[in-house]
């Protein structure tokens, strides 16, 4: 159970006890946000989407993801945004990376064998084949992907495939990320027509892997999280 930390209201100076929230990391371990007890909280004057999230690195698998920034409401009416310790690179103690002498997952795979895309179903099948090639076992399709906003699922992963002829929107990327957050899973996006500029920028902020596919059925990583997924495979 997470330990509570003292919180001092900057308005009325009252001291409160706050228990930092815990979320499920994609690796399956609980991740408690490292709220800084010795730092001053910031009163919330107005909210923006970017300010509502904070980067935290999982101490078990060393994965860095975005999580809801913790807030606390004082009885005097002040809402405070609580400071969180910034992530330290390479600090994880789990098996999220490759150690000395280990080969990256990419080097252990056979060559990917694509299949031509002619229909929307072919696009989903291509992404399914690619995720299996990356190392995800038991990739499945939800019963109603249009309703759920997820086309493919695997352990620790949800994926969306956009077979349309227009670039994938910011909203589509954010919706997939929220599905992953709710499921404690990573989200990966596959698109035939690429991504809107805002969608790509937001995916980088949220660490959502983006892939583009051509009609041969070969996905290509488009951002750093996608490169990392191809290099390391499921972790």
């Amino acid at each position: 159970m997470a330990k509570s930390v003292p919180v001092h209201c900057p308005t009325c100076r009252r001291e409160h006890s706050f228990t930092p929230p815990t979320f499920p990391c994609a690796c399956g371990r609980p991740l408690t946000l490292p709220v800084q007890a010795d730092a001053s909280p910031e009163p919330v004057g107005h909210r923006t989407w970017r300010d509502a999230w904070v980067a935290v690195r999982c101490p078990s698998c060393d994965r860095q993801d975005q999580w809801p920034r913790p807030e606390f409401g004082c009885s005097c009416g002040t809402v405070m945004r609580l400071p969180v310790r910034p992530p330290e690179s390479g600090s994880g103690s789990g098996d999220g990376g490759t150690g000395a002498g280990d080969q990256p997952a990419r080097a252990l795979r056979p060559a990917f064998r694509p299949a031509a895309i002619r229909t929307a179903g072919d696009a989903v099948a291509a992404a399914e084949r690619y995720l299996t090639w990356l190392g995800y076992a038991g990739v499945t399709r939800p019963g109603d992907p249009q309703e759920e906003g997820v086309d493919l699922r695997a352990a620790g992963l949800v994926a969306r495939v956009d077979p349309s002829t227009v670039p994938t929107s910011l909203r589509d990327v954010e919706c997939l990320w929220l599905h992953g957050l709710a499921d404690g899973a990573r989200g990966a996006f596959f698109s035939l027509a690429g991504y809107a500029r805002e969608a790509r920028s937001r995916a980088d902020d949220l660490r959502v892997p983006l892939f583009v596919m051509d009609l041969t059925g070969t996905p290509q990583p488009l951002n750093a999280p996608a490169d990392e997924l191809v290099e390391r495979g499921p972790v």
Side-chain angles (χ1 to χ4, degrees):
M1 182 177 179
K3 294 182 179 180
S4 61
V5 296
V7 174
H8 296 269
C9 177
T11 302
C12 68
R13 305 299 179 182
R14 289 191 181 97
E15 180 177 311
H16 305 275
S17 180
F18 177 78
T19 301
T22 299
F23 300 99
C25 179
C27 70
R29 302 290 184 87
L31 184 151
T32 300
L33 299 190
V35 174
Q36 294 181 342
D38 57 346
S40 301
E42 173 189 354
V44 178
H46 66 280
R47 290 183 173 86
T48 65
W49 179 270
R50 183 178 295 273
D51 289 340
W53 306 95
V54 61
V56 175
R57 190 178 298 278
C58 176
S60 298
C61 69
D62 204 35
R63 181 196 306 274
Q64 179 176 312
D65 281 319
Q66 297 282 333
W67 301 98
R69 187 181 297 273
E71 294 183 355
F72 180 82
C74 179
S75 56
C76 73
T78 301
V79 177
M80 296 163 275
R81 184 176 293 124
L82 305 183
V84 173
R85 187 172 64 249
E88 299 177 0
S89 61
S91 61
S93 58
D95 56 359
T98 56
D102 293 336
Q103 293 185 7
R106 180 201 294 268
L108 303 177
R109 302 186 196 108
F112 177 68
R113 296 183 177 180
I117 295 176
R118 298 182 179 85
T119 66
D122 290 341
V124 176
E128 181 179 3
R129 185 179 298 105
Y130 190 76
L131 291 174
T132 301
W133 176 77
L134 286 178
Y136 286 97
V139 181
T140 61
R141 305 186 190 188
D144 190 350
Q146 293 302 321
E147 180 179 347
E148 292 191 20
V150 172
D151 294 301
L152 298 167
R153 293 181 182 273
L157 182 90
V158 292
R160 186 71 190 269
V161 182
D162 184 358
S164 68
T165 57
V166 296
T168 298
S169 70
L170 168 65
R171 181 179 181 276
D172 288 336
V173 170
E174 290 178 341
C175 285
L176 175 68
W177 180 79
L178 289 172
H179 276 290
L181 183 63
D183 290 353
R186 187 176 204 173
F189 217 113
F190 296 83
S191 176
L192 276 176
Y195 302 84
R197 180 180 302 176
E198 298 83 358
R200 183 168 177 176
S201 175
R202 190 64 184 144
D204 291 341
D205 291 340
L206 298 176
R207 302 290 299 167
V208 174
L210 300 182
F211 295 88
V212 290
M213 296 190 295
D214 57 27
L215 295 181
T216 68
T218 305
Q220 297 291 341
L222 189 63
N223 61 355
D227 287 332
E228 177 184 323
L229 182 58
V230 173
E231 186 70 23
R232 298 168 59 181
V235 294

